[in-house]
Structure formats: C-alpha cells, structure tokens
Amino acid sequence: MLNDTSMTKNSRRVKANAIRALSMDAVQRANSGHPGAPMGMADIAEVLWSDFLIHNPKNPQWVNRDRFVLSNGHGSMLLYSLLHLTGYDLDIDEIKCFRQLHSKTPGHPEYGYTPGVEVTTGPLGQGLCNAIGMAIAERILASTFNQKEFNIVDHHTYVFVGDGCLMEGISHEGCSLAGTLGLGKLIVIYDDNGISIDGEVEGWFTDNTPARFQSYGWHVVSDVDGHDPDAVSKAIQAAKDQTQKPSIICCKTVIGFGSPNKSGKGSSHGAPLGDTEVELVREELGWEYPPFEIPKYIYEAWNACEAGRQAESDWNSKFTKYREAYPDLALEYIRRQNRELPSNWPELCEFMLAEVDRNAENVATRKASQIALEALGPILPELIGGSADLTGSNLTQWSGSKTITKSDQEGNYIFYGVREFGMAAVMNGLALYGAFKPYGGTFLMFSEYARNALRMAALMKQPSIFVFTHDSIGLGEDGPTHQAVEQTATLRMIPRMSVWRPCDAVESMVAWQQACESKERPFSLIFSRQSLPHQVRTSKQLSLIKKGGYILRDCQGEPDVILLATGSEVQLVIGAADEMPNINIRVVSMPSMDRFSEQSAKYRESVLPSSVRCRVAVEAGVRVSWTEYVGLDGTIVSIETFGESAPANDVFEHFGITMDAVIKAIKQLLTKHQE
C-alpha cells in the first residue's frame, strides 16, 4: 500500500482509484447515479488531467485553458472527482451532496453550477458538438489575433464520449463537419466499454467506429487499452502531434472497473453498486480508506494549482508583451472576451434604426434580417454566421461574410450543410467559448430538428441567435411538411428563450439589436418569406419596439376593441382598423411576448388596459400563445390544423387568415359583448 512519503510505479493506479472511490461512494450515498463510466474511465482521465490538460483550478475562466467536455454527462462523478482532486472550488461536502438540491454536483454537469464545468451535458452527443464549436472558435480566434511572435490563442479541446454519444445522430452531423474543417486541436477519447442502459451494445451497435471516423477525415488511434496509462499517453501525444485533422482515440475499457460482480455489466451503468459491492470494490482495489476520505499524499499528487498558476502567469506575461506590440488588437481581444459591445453601441443602434425607418422598404422580413446584418456586421466582428444548407433562402450572409474552410481559417461564416441539430449545438459551443456571437439559419419548421439544442442554449444561458425564416403557411407551395404552424408557440414555451416575430424591416432591426445585446439568453428570430409593408411610426413608437409590445395604431378615447398581431398578420389588423373607421380600434404589435411580459405592470396596462375586454389576436399559427392576452372574452384568429400546398395567398384565404376574417371576428365579438 502507498503511504504519504513515497509514490511508487503504481501511483497512477492509486490516483485513478481515488476517482473510483469518490464516484462509487457519492452514487451510493445519493442512492442514484452512474458509477460505471467514472470507474471505467478513471485511468484515461488520470493520464489526460495529470500529463496533458493545461488548466488553472484557481481561475476556471482563464481564457487560454484547454477545454474539457464530458459528453457522456451521466458519468458526472468522473468530472466532479477530477475537479475536486485537482483543486477547484468543489470541496468534499459538495461531493457528499451529489445529486442533492442546490448542490454544486447535480446529476449531470451543469454549466454555471460547478467551477470547471465547461458545458451542460447529458443529452448524449451534444457535448461532442459543443466541443466542435469550441474547437472552431479557438481556430478562428487564433487566426484573428495571433501574430508571428505571439500565439496568445493556443490550446486544445478534449472530449470524452461513450457508445451512446456515437449512436446519437447528432454525432454524425458534427463529426462529419469537424473532419471537413480539419480541426486539428480537437481530440476525442471514446470509451468503448460495450455497455449501454439496455446491456451489451452488440445487439444494436456494431459500427466499425474507426472506419467511420476515417471516412470523416479524422486521425484515428484504435484499439487502445484504456487501463494502460502508457498506451493512453502515447495515443494522446500522437493525437496532439496530428495538427491537420481532428483525432479520435478508441479506448477499450471495462465499465465499473474494480467491481468484482458488476464490472463489465449493465448493472454498473446506471445504479448504485450497493453497500456490499462497494466494500468488495475496496478490497479489490486495495483501497483502505473509508467513504469520502482521500489521504493527503494523494491530494498532493493530484493538485494542479501550482502548475495552473504558472501556466496562466506565463500566458499573462506573453499577453503583456503582445499588448505593448499590438495595443489595438489586444484591446479588441479583451472586449470580445468580456462580451462587451462597442462603447458607442446605443448611438449606433439609434442611427441604424433611424436609417431603416427613413429608407422604408416593403420587404420580406428575411430580407430585412439581411439588411440588419449589413449594418451590424462591420461593427461586430464577433458575429459568426451560418446556415443549414439554406443560405440563399435564410439570407444569413452579408457582403462581409467570408467562408470558414479547412485551408482558410480567417472567416466568419460556416456552411453547416443539412445539419440543423448539429449546427445549433456547434453554435452553443461557439457561444460558450466566448468572444463570439453565433447565429445560424434554417426554416422555422426545421427548428424541430434542432429543438434540444435550442433548449440547451436556454438552460445554459447562452446567447446563441437562431434565425428561422419561412415562418408560416406563407411558405406556400412546399405544403404542410414545411409550413410552420405550432413552432412559434412551442419556441415561446422554452424558458429563457426570447422569441421575436417582427412585422417589417424596422422591427427586424430592433430584434437583431436586442439579440446582439443579450448575454444570458438565446434568441429565436422568426422571419417571413413574403414581402411585408413598412409600418409608419412616430419616434416614440420606435423607442417602444424593444419593449416587445407597443401601440402601433391608436384611437381617440378608450378603445372599443384591441387588435393584437405579430409578423405578417400585423398588416391584416391594420387593414381591418382602416376598414372600420366608426369603431374605436387600438392596434398592438407584439413582436416579442416574452419581452412584453417582462415590462412593468404599469406599462402593460397602458398598452392592454384591463377595462377593454374586447380583444382579437391574429397569428398564422396555433392559438395557445394568445389566450393570456385576449382572456376568456376575446377571440383568436388562428390555425389549428396543418397547412396545405398552394400559393401563399390561396393558403391564407383557405385558412381564413385574411383582413375580411379579422373584420368578421371584430363584428362578432362586439355583438357578443353588446348582448
């Protein structure tokens, strides 16, 4: 047995066993969790974190740290053990509180809860794509700021993945793109233990994984014994030496390593080992310490604080010299890392909005979005765009867009291909990295493919900007498979997601400006295929758009009826008001319900006075979003079925999303309230 004065050739195994002990004990105390992966991957983790990973436990946000992502997030105790042992602000009491309310050790790693956790993982495969986004970010930032004598951006992104991650389709989307882009500083370590929740994967997962990744253009190191530190070390070094391709290291491991009766079996995957088996593991590993006790000499062997302090200090010295040689670049680098907008941002926004209003155009809001990008792009180099094979339809490119390729790293636009889910997850990785404001486009209908990544952006408080065009049945001839009906409403249901559906170029500019200002919430910007008329506004109305809902057209005295709409339907309620001059009608444009709901009660009452119960809401989608605003006495002109294939005008007519239908709804509602 090792003691506190000597470390033998078996010290690596002892350090790895500390991970195993903490993991099985924490899961046992919680009576919940996944001990198998941490116990099986402990030897791999020990090599990576002891010999290769450059990080500073005392400053988890140091900008030039290596990034580590545990994509198979159910093995969270592996990461928590590593963070605790290496010196992060995660004490043993937090390990003891694994999976308990308000602890820093939730069931799956959560960004923002635990120092050192780079990304929230758990939905398998997404962490891998988040890491791909981080690797893209590192490469672009390096090409932007590094100079011949100063590599101030220079680090690797490491990812642990399991069988489940590679079974998920998103892994194909992201890894195919990563190979095409040649992300040489991305290193993935695959825990090939042959077990998932249902048992031995040979019944449902027999892929030739090395051949698969070779076909993507990756560097592959196969058949590595994941319990042989020397073999793991050689594999990681080989991956670091390959700078032109991303690398995957395929490690054979035994899930639940050290468990006499459950190692190599599905029973160790997602349940506590049991008190009896935990004691047998201690005997098997020669681990003589009681639960949650780690000897001082093992802590000292793991401690990475001094090495991390030195690494950051060396980088700080380099950056000081860089700042002296390239002061403007250094200031811009700092601004972007701090997610700060230009100092004159408010004045720029006011000017841009005034220009759009002054040069009023009747355009599709997807075109208005591109106009906004033309204005924003030159002043926000951190904007990095893309589209899932719909660039010409989403209009996500602007004149300053430059494509990122394997051979040309100095770009700001990614052709993601038909990979909506992968695109959204990569965008989240770019956002998590910092220094970038990622946006990516697809049709609103295909937000369904990306749904879980949208939710993860909101959960992690990341300001990814999702551009969704062709927003309704206005898509027309492509029919119900492509016509969004319920998507806007369901996006509004995602907590912390800000959803904007502007009615013209002016509201589109405001939506983009608000998205660019965001630091802690994602935005879904929803734009039309069809041309929409410019709405005339006063300067006061222009200033109120950012509140999410405002009075676009008003009447003398208290309204008899209030009309509410978003997007393409605003023109319908304006037209209906024009056709009914003898009725006091107020028109409210509500491009963002979530933003409107955040306003003061006084402001909301000024727009939607509770005394006016006659309200009609109009939107070419399901009604569910609008009941809060029209109440039990109001009417909603909506669509409660799927679309039809026909020219857009015919489809709108067929479903009664017309000015005549709005007028009819107003008359019926007024008659009802007079009875």
Side-chain angles (χ1 to χ4, degrees):
M1 188 67 196
L2 293 178
N3 56 49
D4 59 3
T5 60
S6 66
M7 292 290 280
T8 73
K9 64 180 180 181
N10 294 320
S11 61
R12 283 193 179 279
R13 178 56 55 83
V14 174
K15 288 172 66 181
N17 285 346
I19 295 173
R20 294 185 171 102
L22 287 173
S23 297
M24 70 178 184
D25 288 340
V27 171
Q28 192 63 35
R29 172 172 283 202
N31 196 29
S32 171
H34 300 75
M39 296 173 73
M41 298 191 78
D43 294 308
I44 302 170
E46 189 278 325
V47 172
L48 176 63
W49 280 63
S50 296
D51 296 352
F52 292 96
L53 194 74
I54 299 172
H55 62 119
N56 185 1
K58 296 306 180 185
N59 183 9
Q61 297 305 310
W62 172 40
V63 293
N64 202 48
R65 68 192 181 278
D66 287 336
R67 269 60 170 182
F68 174 79
V69 175
L70 183 70
S71 186
N72 47 341
H74 55 270
S76 56
M77 268 311 305
L78 173 67
L79 180 53
Y80 299 149
S81 299
L82 289 163
L83 295 171
H84 169 71
L85 291 167
T86 55
Y88 285 80
D89 183 17
L90 192 69
D91 61 32
I92 197 66
D93 288 334
E94 292 291 349
I95 300 296
K96 292 177 181 179
C97 289
F98 178 56
R99 287 186 163 227
Q100 304 309 301
L101 185 65
H102 302 315
S103 75
K104 292 182 181 180
T105 51
H108 292 82
E110 293 186 39
Y111 176 82
Y113 269 65
T114 316
V117 170
E118 299 282 3
V119 56
T120 301
T121 56
L124 294 177
Q126 281 199 69
L128 173 55
C129 279
N130 297 151
I132 290 168
M134 294 175 182
I136 292 172
E138 190 274 343
R139 198 174 78 165
I140 299 170
L141 206 65
S143 68
T144 302
F145 289 99
N146 285 355
Q147 299 299 312
K148 186 176 181 180
E149 69 275 37
F150 294 110
N151 283 337
I152 62 165
V153 182
D154 183 16
H155 62 82
H156 286 77
T157 301
Y158 296 96
V159 196
F160 279 4
V161 302
D163 294 298
C165 292
L166 298 188
M167 281 188 259
E168 290 285 359
I170 190 175
S171 71
H172 165 71
E173 294 184 28
C175 293
S176 173
L177 179 64
T180 299
L181 294 178
L183 302 177
K185 288 188 175 180
L186 173 67
I187 298 175
V188 175
I189 301 178
Y190 165 37
D191 178 31
D192 183 7
N193 62 38
I195 297 292
S196 64
I197 291 177
D198 281 350
E200 296 181 7
V201 301
E202 62 184 13
W204 49 87
F205 184 54
T206 57
D207 299 15
N208 185 333
T209 297
R212 170 186 166 187
F213 277 81
Q214 285 170 354
S215 75
Y216 292 151
W218 284 52
H219 169 234
V220 178
V221 185
S222 58
D223 295 321
V224 176
D225 181 350
H227 301 297
D228 180 347
D230 290 338
V232 173
S233 181
K234 289 177 182 177
I236 295 174
Q237 188 58 57
K240 288 191 69 175
D241 291 341
Q242 171 52 262
T243 60
Q244 300 304 308
K245 298 178 180 181
S247 295
I248 183 168
I249 301 168
C250 302
C251 291
K252 292 287 186 180
T253 65
V254 177
I255 192 171
F257 182 94
S259 174
N261 299 302
K262 296 187 177 183
S263 64
K265 299 177 181 178
S267 56
S268 69
H269 173 86
L273 298 178
D275 290 332
T276 300
E277 190 69 13
V278 165
E279 290 309 310
L280 291 175
V281 173
R282 281 185 158 77
E283 294 178 15
E284 181 76 13
L285 298 178
W287 188 262
E288 299 177 353
Y289 310 105
F292 305 107
E293 181 177 313
I294 306 294
K296 180 180 178 182
Y297 77 95
I298 295 180
Y299 274 126
E300 290 175 348
W302 267 111
N303 193 292
C305 294
E306 177 55 30
R309 185 203 64 77
Q310 187 62 55
E312 182 173 357
S313 177
D314 291 345
W315 183 86
N316 286 338
S317 297
K318 181 190 293 185
F319 189 76
T320 298
K321 295 176 182 177
Y322 176 86
R323 189 168 186 169
E324 292 171 354
Y326 303 98
D328 293 340
L329 277 175
L331 287 174
E332 177 66 4
Y333 177 81
I334 293 169
R335 180 189 74 80
R336 289 180 57 173
Q337 288 289 356
N338 292 338
R339 293 185 176 183
E340 295 174 351
L341 292 165
S343 58
N344 59 342
W345 175 254
E347 293 81 6
L348 289 170
C349 285
E350 185 176 349
F351 173 78
M352 287 184 284
L353 187 58
E355 283 294 292
V356 171
D357 187 52
R358 185 179 303 112
N359 301 305
E361 293 184 76
N362 295 347
V363 295
T365 50
R366 61 172 173 155
K367 178 62 179 176
S369 169
Q370 187 179 49
I371 292 170
L373 283 170
E374 287 287 352
L376 293 164
I379 61 175
L380 294 177
E382 56 264 45
L383 280 172
I384 177 168
S387 172
D389 203 50
L390 287 169
T391 293
S393 294
N394 299 148
L395 301 182
T396 39
Q397 274 189 323
W398 57 286
S399 60
S401 293
K402 182 180 179 183
T403 305
I404 297 163
T405 67
K406 184 176 183 178
S407 59
D408 190 349
Q409 304 170 9
E410 296 185 28
N412 60 3
Y413 194 85
I414 301 171
F415 284 95
Y416 284 100
V418 188
R419 303 181 178 106
E420 294 87 359
F421 192 5
M423 173 182 73
V426 167
M427 287 168 57
N428 289 343
L430 284 160
L432 284 157
Y433 185 90
F436 292 98
K437 290 185 179 294
Y439 68 92
T442 187
F443 288 174
L444 177 57
M445 174 54 67
F446 303 140
S447 65
E448 298 292 347
Y449 281 131
R451 177 70 56 165
N452 199 258
L454 306 184
R455 184 177 187 273
M456 293 298 287
L459 182 63
M460 294 187 289
K461 301 181 180 179
Q462 292 307 299
S464 299
I465 304 171
F466 304 104
V467 177
F468 298 124
T469 69
H470 298 62
D471 66 345
S472 70
I473 57 172
L475 184 75
E477 293 86 345
D478 280 334
T481 61
H482 286 54
Q483 290 170 3
V485 175
E486 73 276 25
Q487 281 65 40
T488 298
T490 56
L491 286 172
R492 290 171 178 149
M493 292 178 181
I494 300 175
R496 208 180 286 124
M497 174 68 74
S498 191
V499 181
W500 289 71
R501 187 172 182 245
C503 74
D504 65 0
V506 171
E507 286 189 358
S508 298
M509 175 60 81
V510 173
W512 264 107
Q513 290 172 347
Q514 295 302 299
C516 289
E517 290 179 8
S518 177
K519 289 187 177 182
E520 290 195 339
R521 63 192 307 177
F523 272 61
S524 288
L525 305 182
I526 299 176
F527 299 118
S528 71
R529 175 196 185 191
Q530 68 273 30
S531 181
L532 302 179
H534 169 74
Q535 301 295 335
V536 177
R537 300 173 181 83
T538 64
S539 58
K540 181 179 180 180
Q541 287 172 316
L542 287 173
S543 70
L544 293 175
I545 296 173
K546 64 184 179 182
K547 292 183 178 291
Y550 64 103
I551 301 168
L552 180 60
R553 178 83 64 86
D554 212 357
C555 56
Q556 294 293 324
E558 183 172 276
D560 297 318
V561 62
I562 297 176
L563 306 182
L564 304 95
T566 71
S568 54
E569 288 71 71
V570 169
Q571 64 179 319
L572 301 182
V573 295
I574 288 288
D578 288 341
E579 290 295 314
M580 306 179 79
N582 296 324
I583 299 173
N584 277 2
I585 295 178
R586 171 177 291 181
V587 173
V588 173
S589 177
M590 194 173 289
S592 177
M593 291 182 178
D594 58 271
R595 180 60 61 85
F596 181 72
S597 70
E598 293 168 358
Q599 304 308 312
S600 67
K602 181 179 179 181
Y603 177 76
R604 286 183 279 119
E605 177 69 15
S606 72
V607 176
L608 299 175
S610 53
S611 58
V612 182
R613 298 168 61 192
C614 288
R615 302 180 186 183
V616 178
V618 186
E619 191 169 60
V622 295
R623 61 185 289 124
V624 65
S625 301
W626 291 100
T627 53
E628 175 184 354
Y629 300 104
V630 302
L632 297 177
D633 297 319
T635 296
I636 302 169
V637 179
S638 61
I639 300 173
E640 303 303 323
T641 185
F642 296 117
E644 295 285 348
S645 177
N649 290 339
D650 294 344
V651 180
F652 277 115
E653 185 73 31
H654 172 76
F655 285 104
I657 308 297
T658 63
M659 185 177 69
D660 289 342
V662 176
I663 292 172
K664 180 180 178 181
I666 294 170
K667 290 178 178 178
Q668 289 177 339
L669 187 61
L670 288 172
T671 300
K672 175 183 174 182
H673 279 266
Q674 290 169 357
E675 293 175 350

